[in-house]
Structures are given as C-alpha cells and as structure tokens.
Amino acid sequence: MNALLLAGLALLFLWIGYVFYSRKVSEWLGIDPERTTPAVSMNDGVDYVPAKHWIILFGHHFSSIAGAAPIIGPVIACLLWGWLPAVIWIAVGGVLFGAVHDFSSLTLSVRHKGRSVADLTESVLGRGAQIVFSLFVFLALILIVAVFAATAGKTLASTPEVVVPTFGLILVALFVGFLMYRTKVPLLASSIIGLLLLVVPFVLAYWVYNDAQKRGNDNAALWALAVGGLTFLTFFGGLLALAVYIWDRE
C-alpha cells in the first residue's frame, strides 16, 4: 500500500475519533468547559499554576505520553509482523485505548484537586493497594528509563549527526521556560527565540557528523558515552527539579 495513502487513512481515523468518539467520552465523564480547575481555584504559584496557553498543556502532555508504548512498541511490532499491526496499534489503539485512558486519568486528577492516580489509590482501594501500586509505578519507571537510555544511546551512536541537536534541544527548552516564567517574556516571543536558538545545535551537528565519518563505524565509545550521559542527565534533572520544587515550597 502507498505510504501516503496509509498515513492519510490513519489521520482520517484519528480525526473521526477526535470529532465523534471524544464527544461521547466527554459525555460519559460529565465534562463541563466552564468548571474551574484546581490550577485556578487553588493557585498558589508553586503547586497549582495555570498554564499561560492551552498549547503548553498540549506540548507537556504530548511529551509525557510519548513513552515506550506509543514509540518503541509500534516500531517493534512493525519489524516483527509488518506495517499493519503498527498502524492498528497507533490509530485504533490510540483512539479506543490510549486517548481514553489518558483523558480519564487527567479528569480524575482534576476532579480531586490535582492529586496523582497513585495518591488517589489510597482513597479508593486503601493503604495497602497504594503501596503496591506505587511500587509498581517505581519499578516500571526504572525499566522505562533503562530501555530508553539504551535505545536512545544506540540511536545517537549510529546517527551521530543528531547528538548535538538532541542535547541542544534540552538546553533551549530550559532557556525558553526561564524566559516565560522568570523574565515574563510573552509566549510568542519566547517561542520565536527558542526556534531561532535551535538553529545553533543543528549547525554544530554538521561538524560532529563529519568527525564521526572520519572515525568510521566504530561508535561503541560514543554509544557508551551517550547512554551514560542520558542516564546522568535524567538523574540530575530529577534531583534538580525536586530541589527547585522544595525550595519554592519553603
């Protein structure tokens, strides 16, 4: 089948699911657009902060859901069984399972003052269930981080031209967040500055790629460095976010 036609049919199915099925799910959950969210009703500038624009929430959720299941899963399915299972996974599974699961979880959290699902487990199922569920989430996150570190490290080693843009994107994102929330630069201006800054790592990647070409195909050291760097960055980033969070609360 033509790839363009296949992509068009998948997008059409996703659009139909968004327009029609999402309305039915919204009715089941009793969604009210006028209902005040905890970010507004409990705004304290630390734990509860309204987003500056809906697209920020969309970007945050998109980056959060882009995990092992929707990325690595379809790729493995495509390699093992062909393109059809991968398309069904992404299109049908996204509409009937993934989107409904995420939407329901977010709605549940909003209805209970922004509490996490793990926290709500105690209220619904008891303390024992909360401990088991939290342990499961913790172990699952360790597994996900390990798989992503290995997969991303191998990708960066095999395609060294994307190393600098990958890490450069993280630095640019931090800077854009600093502009928006610390210096109060408008969203549009911050986005434009961020897009312009993204040109820099892509230009630097040209020299990195040429250097990798000179070294040949022996990228084992680069793979190990990439895995170690991603693991350290994840660990350090988590500690830094926790430190800033506690600092703001105090």
Side-chain angles (χ1 to χ4, degrees), residues 191-201:
S191 302
I192 294 175
I193 294 173
L195 289 175
L196 294 176
L197 289 177
L198 283 177
V199 177
V200 177

Side-chain angles (χ1 to χ4, degrees), residues 42-49 113-115 119 182 240-250:
M42 303 172 62
N43 183 10
D44 58 4
V46 180
D47 297 322
Y48 301 91
V49 181
K113 301 180 180 180
R115 296 165 61 192
D119 188 23
R182 296 299 182 183
L240 181 61
L242 180 61
V244 172
Y245 174 76
I246 295 177
W247 188 5
D248 286 343
R249 287 180 63 89
E250 295 298 331

Side-chain angles (χ1 to χ4, degrees), residues 27-168:
E27 293 178 5
W28 293 338
L29 297 177
I31 299 299
D32 181 9
E34 302 300 324
R35 184 186 304 221
T36 303
T37 65
V40 177
S41 62
M42 303 172 62
N43 183 10
D44 58 4
V46 180
D47 297 322
Y48 301 91
V49 181
K52 292 182 178 295
H53 196 274
W54 68 266
I55 199 170
I56 297 178
L57 291 176
F58 173 79
H60 174 76
H61 181 62
F62 183 81
S63 62
S64 299
I65 188 56
I71 294 181
I72 300 180
V75 173
I76 296 177
C78 186
L79 292 175
L80 294 178
W81 299 295
W83 57 267
L84 183 59
V87 173
I88 295 176
W89 185 317
I90 296 174
V92 180
V95 171
L96 299 181
F97 299 99
V100 177
H101 170 273
D102 288 14
F103 188 40
S104 302
S105 300
L106 288 172
T107 303
L108 181 66
S109 176
V110 170
R111 296 277 174 82
H112 294 81
K113 301 180 180 180
R115 296 165 61 192
S116 67
V117 175
D119 188 23
L120 289 172
T121 304
E122 181 180 11
S123 302
V124 178
L125 300 176
R127 179 63 175 172
Q130 184 201 28
I131 295 175
V132 173
F133 183 79
S134 300
L135 181 61
F136 167 77
V137 171
F138 177 72
L139 295 176
L141 288 176
I142 292 178
L143 179 62
I144 291 172
V145 170
V147 171
F148 259 94
T151 305
K154 189 172 184 178
T155 302
L156 295 177
S158 60
T159 54
E161 61 270 25
V162 304
V163 173
V164 176
T166 298
F167 288 94

Side-chain angles (χ1 to χ4, degrees), residues 183-250:
T183 62
K184 306 302 181 182
V185 176
L187 173 63
L188 180 60
S190 300
S191 302
I192 294 175
I193 294 173
L195 289 175
L196 294 176
L197 289 177
L198 283 177
V199 177
V200 177
F202 279 98
V203 174
L204 292 176
Y206 173 78
W207 283 276
V208 175
Y209 177 71
N210 285 341
D211 178 69
Q213 289 291 95
K214 294 177 183 178
R215 290 187 291 104
N217 296 324
D218 186 15
N219 289 327
L222 181 59
W223 183 15
L225 180 62
V227 173
L230 288 172
T231 304
F232 172 78
L233 188 63
T234 303
F235 179 75
F236 178 76
L239 287 180
L240 181 61
L242 180 61
V244 172
Y245 174 76
I246 295 177
W247 188 5
D248 286 343
R249 287 180 63 89
E250 295 298 331

